[in-house]
């Protein structure tokens, strides 16, 4: 599988919860850039250990719902343990699935969030088809990933990273309407998009 060597291994998962990460990628700062409101449904695709899923679940209140989706069952086990060990909100459902086949219901989500995973995804076109399928009309897609113009560590090698402008151009060429990329934290950018047009699908004649 193309990009299979880019998928973060479970052995590296401890890096996601290093205390210093709170300094260089504060969850509150990221959340302030997302279209969150009480009661919405969010798919956190490539959730890892739930660094974002947990604060998002709090932000959308108990009326809202987070689907924490990850390819690797072991990542979801780490998140499950974290949910048990902390006073985490109960509105998080763990889902094993991939960005191009999440198994979530069609038109079930208001926001799909992919944090630090786009550069690991092998099939971008398939992932966009899937995000379009699971999003409600008027739903949003947010892609956060690593900047290409800053040195590492932390993060993946520079040659694995995808320039923010390239991500945006790709999305626009696939009919998404995107804001200009915004730098966030010390090493990241975020691209926020909506499906172009008001209606996702023409009515069946
Ligand atoms: C670098 S971690 C980021 C985790 C989390 N989003 C964060 O920022 O803390 C990437 C996660 O995406 C998952 N992943 C990689 N490729 C994926 C795919 N195609 N579909 C779903 N999850 C994927 C990996 O298993 C890993 O848990």
């Amino acid at each position: 599988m193309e990009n299979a060597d880019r998928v973060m291994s479970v052995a590296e998962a401890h890096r996601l919860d290093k205390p210093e990460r709170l300094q260089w990628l504060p969850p509150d700062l990221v959340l302030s850039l997302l279209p969150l409101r009480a009661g919405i449904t969010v798919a956190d695709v490539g959730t890892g250990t739930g660094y974002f899923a947990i604060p998002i679940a709090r932000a959308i209140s108990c009326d809202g719902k987070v689907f924490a989706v990850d390819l690797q069952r072991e990542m979801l086990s780490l998140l499950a343990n974290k949910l048990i060990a902390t006073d985490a909100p109960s509105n998080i459902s763990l889902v094993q699935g991939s960005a191009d086949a999440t198994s979530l219901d069609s038109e079930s989500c208001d926001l799909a969030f992919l944090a630090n995973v786009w550069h690991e995804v092998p099939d971008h076109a398939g992932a966009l088809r899937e995000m379009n399928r699971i999003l409600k009309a008027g739903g949003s897609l947010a892609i956060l990933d690593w900047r290409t113009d800053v040195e590492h560590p932390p993060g993946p090698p520079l040659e694995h990273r995808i320039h923010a402008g390239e991500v945006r151009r790709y999305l626009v060429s696939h009919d998404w309407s995107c804001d200009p990329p915004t730098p966030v934290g010390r090493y990241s950018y975020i691209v926020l998009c909506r499906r172009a047009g008001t209606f996702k699908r023409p009515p069946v004649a």
Side-chain angles (χ1 to χ4, degrees):
M1 185 211 288
E2 196 193 339
N3 287 8
D5 62 325
R6 301 187 182 184
V7 174
M8 175 178 263
S9 72
V10 175
E12 294 175 299
H14 63 278
R15 289 181 15 213
L16 300 172
D17 291 311
K18 280 192 163 178
E20 54 266 35
R21 194 175 182 215
L22 297 169
Q23 307 301 317
W24 52 259
L25 189 59
D28 285 353
L29 178 63
V30 174
L31 265 58
S32 73
L33 300 173
L34 299 176
L36 297 177
R37 60 187 188 283
I40 66 168
T41 300
V42 179
D44 180 29
V45 179
T47 193
T49 59
Y51 183 77
F52 292 110
I54 294 173
I56 288 173
R58 288 202 180 95
I60 60 178
S61 84
C62 54
D63 299 334
K65 173 117 194 136
V66 174
F67 292 111
V69 181
D70 205 284
L71 201 57
Q72 303 187 77
R73 189 177 293 280
E74 299 85 347
M75 282 289 187
L76 294 174
S77 297
L78 294 175
L79 173 52
N81 291 339
K82 200 195 260 187
L83 295 179
I84 292 166
T86 61
D87 64 342
S90 59
N91 54 344
I92 303 180
S93 293
L94 309 190
V95 180
Q96 189 182 9
S98 62
D100 59 354
T102 60
S103 85
L104 300 182
D105 287 344
S106 297
E107 303 188 41
S108 57
C109 298
D110 300 283
L111 170 67
F113 181 45
L114 284 80
N116 301 307
V117 64
W118 193 247
H119 72 279
E120 296 186 6
V121 168
D123 177 8
H124 287 154
L128 288 188
R129 269 195 303 277
E130 179 68 353
M131 296 306 110
N132 187 43
R133 186 186 70 76
I134 66 172
L135 283 173
K136 298 175 186 173
S140 300
L141 168 65
I143 294 182
L144 179 149
D145 220 321
W146 293 90
R147 283 169 54 179
T148 53
D149 60 340
V150 286
E151 283 305 315
H152 68 100
L158 292 180
E159 64 271 20
H160 288 183
R161 302 181 186 195
I162 309 174
H163 190 273
E166 194 183 319
V167 173
R168 182 176 187 272
R169 274 192 297 280
Y170 187 81
L171 282 146
V172 168
S173 75
H174 284 73
D175 255 356
W176 294 78
S177 164
C178 301
D179 296 340
T182 310
V184 56
R186 207 174 299 157
Y187 306 106
S188 307
Y189 61 82
I190 190 164
V191 184
L192 186 62
C193 306
R194 289 154 305 282
R195 251 334 252 184
T198 311
F199 299 105
K200 284 165 47 111
R201 296 185 187 88
V204 178

